[in-house]
Amino acid sequence: MSNIKSYLSETVEEMRDKVSWPSYSELQNSSVLVLIGSLMFALVVGAIDFVFDGSLEWFYNQF
């Protein structure tokens, strides 16, 4: 049981004293970058899906 208490105490200490947390503006900038990257990725995947769907539909209509 003392191992668990020690682990939890060290975890709290590390999170409080040793972790460098980003500032609010850095957090906002990172969030905007993630949002833009996710939207770009979704658009690329959507475009690929649209092209494959059209190609397969054309191919299957040939028979």
Side-chain angles (χ1 to χ4, degrees):
M1 191 67 169
S2 68
N3 288 338
I4 295 173
K5 280 185 178 182
S6 173
Y7 172 76
L8 291 175
S9 141
E10 290 174 5
T11 301
V12 168
E13 178 185 341
E14 186 168 345
M15 294 296 282
R16 186 178 4 167
D17 300 331
K18 297 180 182 177
V19 173
S20 62
W21 297 98
S23 68
Y24 186 71
S25 63
E26 290 173 335
L27 190 61
Q28 282 181 323
N29 290 338
S30 297
S31 299
V32 168
L33 285 175
V34 168
L35 180 63
I36 291 171
S38 298
L39 288 174
M40 289 174 53
F41 184 74
L43 288 173
V44 168
V45 170
I48 291 170
D49 181 52
F50 182 74
V51 169
F52 279 142
D53 182 48
S55 301
L56 288 175
E57 186 175 338
W58 172 83
F59 179 76
Y60 287 135
N61 287 335
Q62 297 300 314
F63 297 106

